[in-house]
C-alpha cells in the first residue's frame, strides 16, 4: 500500500482579511538528520507503534498522534497496537495514516477498524482522542496477517465481535454510522451530506466534498421550486466557516449540524441541516418515538410560530403534534405518518401534507429536521432527559438578525453548559471572532467585515421542563428554557453534537447553532 502526503482540508482565501494561514515547513540543511514523520489517526491516537518494516527503528505516537523515525523517504512502515499489526504503509512524504488508508478506502471496513480501535481504548467511537498505549492484544476469532484482514472476515450480519485483552468488545452498524458521520475524511468517505430545511419550507440536501473543497446542493419545495448548484468553497475559519468562490453563500459545518445562508435571485435564505445516515434507517427506528422540536417561522393554524413543539410518531402510524401560539393557546395537529428514504412524511387528518421530517439516528437518541410544507422549519431531538455528557463545551456560530438594512452579525465562539442542579443549568458564552455580514442583492453576494467580539455572558436555564396543554404535561427533555437577559429556548444534545438556541436579546432575534463534534 503506497501513500503520498494526503491533501489537507485547511484552505485559505488570499484576498480575505480573515485569512487563516496554513503552516509551512522549514528547510533542512544537509547536516540535519533525515526523519520520516507523520501521524496515526482514527481520531487522534496515542500509543500506536510505528516501525520501519524489518528494522528496530520504531516510534510510538504521542498525545497528538504524531510519530518521528530516524530514516529517509520513501519508507515502508509497519503499524501496530500492542502485539497486533494493523497494516503496512509505504510513505513518500509526511502522511496521516488513517483507517481509510489501511482499509484501501473501503469506507465500511475503515469504520469497523476505527470503531474497534476506539472501543479497545475505552473511548466513544465519536471521541476526538483515544489512548491505546495500554492495549495488548486483539482476538477476533478470524485469521489474517493484519487486524484489517481479521475484521474483514469476522463481521457477520453487520456485527463485529472481538476480545481486547480478554474483554468482550463488539461493533454494531450504529457504531459504523456514528463513526463515518464524525470522521468522513479519516474513514475515506471524503464527503458529508446534510439533510436540511429552509425557513420558507423547502427541503434541501447539501453535500460537501472536503477533499476537493466543493459543495453540491439541491433544493426543492413550494418556494424556490427545484434549484441546484455546484461550486468551489473556501475555508474561512478553522474548518468551521466556509464561503462560496463567488461569495454568494456561506456555511458553518460540524459533524453534528450545518448552518447556511444562501443567495437566490438576490435574496438570502437560511438553511439548517443534520448529517444524513450512512447506514439507512427503517420505519422501526422512528416508530413510537417523541421528538421535541425548536420551531422557526412555522406557519400553522393561521399563525407563524417560533417556539417549542413536540411530535409523537405512534406505532400505529398515527401522530400527534402539539405547540402553543404567541398567546399561550394550544395548537394540536393529528394525522398519519409514513416512512421512506430516511424521512417521515406526515399528513394531517384531512389528508393534506403537513411536515417532512428527516431523521438522523444517534448513538443514544435520534435528531430530526422538520420541514413544514406551508413554511418554516424545526430542529428536533428525541425526547430523552439530559445526561451528564450534555453538560460540556460546544463551539458555535451566533447569528444576530437585522442589525441594519441588509446587514446581520455573526460571531464564532464557544460555550459551556454547566449543571447547577437537577432542574437548572448555567450557560457561559464567549465569542472569539465576529463579522458584520453585508448582503448585496445587486450582485447576489455576501461580504464580511471583522468587528470586535462581544463580552462573555452567563445566564441560567431550566432544563428538561414540561409544557402544559389542556391540563396535561408534556416532557420537553433535552430542552433548556432561559428567561432573564436571554429569553429563549435551546436544544442540548451532546450525543449528536448539537446546541441550538432561538432567543431575544436586547430586542434582537438571535440564533445559535453549536456542536461538540468537529469534522475529522
Amino acid at each position: 500500500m503506497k501513500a503520498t502526503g494526503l491533501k489537507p482540508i485547511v484552505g485559505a482565501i488570499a484576498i480575505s482579511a480573515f485569512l487563516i494561514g496554513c503552516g509551512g515547513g522549514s528547510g533542512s540543511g544537509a547536516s540535519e538528520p533525515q526523519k520520516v514523520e507523520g501521524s496515526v489517526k482514527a481520531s487522534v491516537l496515542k500509543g500506536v507503534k510505528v516501525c520501519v518494516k524489518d528494522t528496530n527503528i520504531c516510534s510510538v505516537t504521542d498525545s497528538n498522534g504524531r510519530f518521528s523515525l530516524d530514516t529517509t523517504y520513501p519508507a515502508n512502515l509497519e503499524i501496530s497496537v500492542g502485539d497486533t499489526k494493523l497494516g503496512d504503509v509505504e510513505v513518500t512524504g509526511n502522511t496521516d495514516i488513517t483507517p481509510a488508508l489501511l482499509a484501501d478506502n473501503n469506507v465500511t471496513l475503515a469504520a469497523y477498524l476505527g470503531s474497534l480501535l476506539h472501543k479497545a481504548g475505552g473511548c466513544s467511537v465519536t471521541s476526538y482522542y483515544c489512548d491505546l498505549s495500554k492495549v495488548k492484544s486483539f482476538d477476533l476469532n478470524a485469521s489474517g496477517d493484519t487486524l484489517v484482514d481479521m475484521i474483514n472476515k469476522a463481521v457477520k450480519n453487520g456485527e463485529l465481535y472481538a476480545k481486547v485483552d480478554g474483554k468482550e468488545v463488539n461493533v454494531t452498524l450504529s457504531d459504523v454510522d456514528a463513526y463515518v458521520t464524525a470522521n468522513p475524511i479519516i474513514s475515506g468517505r471524503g464527503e458529508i451530506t446534510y439533510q436540511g430545511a429552509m425557513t420558507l419550507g423547502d427541503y434541501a440536501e447539501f453535500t460537501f466534498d472536503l477533499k476537493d473543497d466543493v459543495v453540491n446542493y439541491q433544493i426543492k419545495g413550494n418556494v424556490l421550486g427545484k434549484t441546484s448548484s455546484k461550486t468551489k468553497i473556501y475555508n474561512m475559519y478553522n474548518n468551521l466557516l466556509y464561503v462560496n468562490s463567488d461569495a454568494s453563500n456561506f456555511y458553518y459545518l460540524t459533524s453534528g449540524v450545518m448552518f447556511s445562508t444562501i443567495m437566490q435571485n438576490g435574496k438570502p435564505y437560511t438553511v439548517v441541516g443534520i448529517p444524513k445516515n450512512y447506514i439507512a434507517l427503517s420505519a422501526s427506528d422512528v416508530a413510537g418515538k417523541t421528538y421535541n422540536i425548536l420551531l422557526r417561522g412555522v406557519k400553522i393554524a393561521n399563525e407563524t410560530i417560533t417556539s417549542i413543539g413536540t411530535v409523537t410518531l405512534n406505532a400505529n402510524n398515527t401522530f400527534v403534534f402539539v405547540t402553543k401560539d404567541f398567546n399561550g393557546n394550544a395548537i394540536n395537529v393529528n394525522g398519519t405518518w409514513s416512512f421512506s428514504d430516511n424521512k417521515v412524511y406526515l399528513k394531517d387528518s384531512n389528508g393534506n401534507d403537513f411536515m417532512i421530517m428527516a431523521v438522523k439516528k444517534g448513538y443514544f437518541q435520534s435528531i430530526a429536521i422538520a420541514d413544514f410544507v406551508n413554511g418554516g422549519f424545526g430542529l428536533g431531538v428525541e425526547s430523552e432527559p439530559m445526561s451528564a455528557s450534555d453538560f460540556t463545551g460546544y463551539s458555535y456560530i451566533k447569528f444576530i438578525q437585522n442589525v441594519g438594512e441588509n446587514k446581520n452579525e455573526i460571531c464564532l465562539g464557544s460555550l459551556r453548559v454547566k449543571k447547577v442542579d437537577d432542574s437548572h443549568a448555567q450557560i457561559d458564552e464567549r465569542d472569539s471572532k465576529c463579522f458584520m455580514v453585508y448582503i448585496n442583492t445587486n450582485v447576489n453576494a455576501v461580504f464580511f467585515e471583522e468587528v470586535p467580539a462581544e463580552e462573555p455572558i452567563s445566564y441560567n436555564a431550566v432544563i428538561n421542563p414540561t409544557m402544559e396543554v389542556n391540563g396535561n404535561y408534556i416532557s420537553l427533555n433535552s430542552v433548556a428554557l432561559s428567561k432573564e437577559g436571554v429569553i429563549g429556548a435551546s436544544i442540548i444534545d451532546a450525543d449528536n453534537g448539537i446546541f441550538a438556541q432561538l432567543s431575544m436579546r436586547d430586542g434582537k432575534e438571535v440564533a445559535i447553532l453549536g456542536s461538540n463534534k468537529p469534522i475529522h
Side-chain angles (χ1 to χ4, degrees), residues 13 16-18 236 241-244 247 249-251 397 410 434-439 446-451:
I13 306 176
S16 173
F18 358 99
M236 277 185 63
L241 188 63
Y242 294 79
V243 65
N244 271 17
N249 308 342
F250 71 88
Y251 316 92
I397 185 169
I410 64 169
C434 292
F435 303 102
M436 197 62 67
V437 183
Y438 299 90
I439 300 169
V446 179
F447 298 97
F448 295 82
E449 176 189 354
E450 188 169 352
V451 295

Side-chain angles (χ1 to χ4, degrees), residues 60-351:
V60 176
T61 56
D62 61 18
S63 57
N64 294 311
R66 303 290 300 175
F67 66 87
S68 179
L69 298 163
D70 293 328
T71 188
T72 59
Y73 293 106
N76 194 359
L77 306 181
E78 182 175 290
I79 319 299
S80 302
V81 174
D83 60 11
T84 302
K85 184 168 76 170
L86 304 186
D88 297 327
V89 177
E90 183 183 350
V91 296
T92 59
N94 191 321
T95 301
D96 289 337
I97 298 170
T98 64
L101 194 60
L102 294 167
D104 286 330
N105 285 314
N106 181 320
V107 177
T108 304
L109 183 57
Y112 278 106
L113 173 61
S115 298
L116 180 58
L117 291 174
H118 276 78
K119 290 196 168 187
C123 309
S124 163
V125 297
T126 60
S127 62
Y128 180 72
Y129 167 85
C130 199
D131 186 353
L132 300 178
S133 57
K134 295 182 180 180
V135 176
K136 303 300 181 185
S137 65
F138 292 83
D139 179 7
L140 275 65
N141 195 27
S143 60
D145 293 332
T146 68
L147 185 61
V148 173
D149 293 337
M150 289 185 278
I151 290 173
N152 201 25
K153 297 175 182 177
V155 174
K156 305 293 183 185
N157 298 319
E159 300 277 333
L160 172 64
Y161 295 93
K163 288 187 177 180
V164 178
D165 297 337
K167 296 181 180 179
E168 291 187 359
V169 172
N170 73 301
V171 177
T172 67
L173 287 174
S174 292
D175 296 321
V176 169
D177 184 80
Y179 185 82
V180 173
T181 300
N183 304 281
I185 305 300
I186 290 175
S187 64
R189 192 178 187 183
E191 62 185 31
I192 183 167
T193 296
Y194 297 87
Q195 302 173 110
M198 302 174 66
T199 49
L200 297 176
D202 285 0
Y203 177 79
E205 282 197 9
F206 285 70
T207 297
F208 293 87
D209 180 344
L210 298 177
K211 285 185 176 179
D212 295 328
D213 297 322
V214 171
V215 59
N216 188 347
Y217 65 81
Q218 298 83 39
I219 297 171
K220 58 183 178 180
N222 296 328
V223 179
L224 295 178
K226 290 186 177 181
T227 302
S228 63
S229 175
K230 182 176 183 180
T231 186
K232 191 80 173 175
I233 55 174
Y234 293 93
N235 187 344
M236 277 185 63
Y237 184 72
N238 286 4
N239 298 336
L240 288 171
L241 188 63
Y242 294 79
V243 65
N244 271 17
S245 56
D246 61 1
S248 59
N249 308 342
F250 71 88
Y251 316 92
Y252 176 79
L253 303 182
T254 72
S255 67
V257 68
M258 178 204 85
F259 172 88
S260 174
T261 291
I262 66 170
M263 298 290 293
Q264 292 288 325
N265 304 320
K267 295 182 180 180
Y269 297 94
T270 297
V271 181
V272 174
I274 56 176
K276 195 171 184 178
N277 297 282
Y278 177 65
I279 304 297
L281 300 186
S282 65
S284 62
D285 291 310
V286 299
K289 293 185 176 180
T290 295
Y291 293 85
N292 296 321
I293 306 175
L294 189 60
L295 306 173
R296 173 68 173 86
V298 172
K299 295 180 180 179
I300 178 174
N302 297 318
E303 299 274 356
T304 299
I305 308 294
T306 296
S307 183
I308 288 285
T310 181
V311 61
T312 299
L313 304 176
N314 297 315
N316 64 356
N317 289 96
T318 62
F319 77 87
V320 178
F321 172 86
V322 179
T323 188
K324 287 190 173 183
D325 65 16
F326 182 78
N327 296 314
N329 300 313
I331 297 176
N332 292 272
V333 178
N334 299 284
T336 60
W337 66 270
S338 59
F339 185 87
S340 176
D341 188 29
N342 292 314
K343 293 186 283 293
V344 182
Y345 294 84
L346 293 86
K347 293 180 179 289
D348 64 21
S349 57
N350 295 319

Side-chain angles (χ1 to χ4, degrees), residues 308 460-466 476 479-483 486 488-490:
I308 288 285
N460 288 325
V462 177
I463 56 175
N464 301 321
T466 57
L476 298 178
V479 171
L481 300 178
S482 53
K483 62 181 181 179
V486 176
S490 306

Side-chain angles (χ1 to χ4, degrees), residues 429-471:
E429 289 180 24
R430 180 180 293 272
D431 297 341
S432 60
K433 190 176 288 288
C434 292
F435 303 102
M436 197 62 67
V437 183
Y438 299 90
I439 300 169
N440 190 320
T441 57
N442 294 324
V443 296
N444 207 50
V446 179
F447 298 97
F448 295 82
E449 176 189 354
E450 188 169 352
V451 295
E454 303 290 336
E455 291 295 319
I457 64 170
S458 296
Y459 48 94
N460 288 325
V462 177
I463 56 175
N464 301 321
T466 57
M467 178 171 62
E468 186 273 328
V469 178
N470 300 326

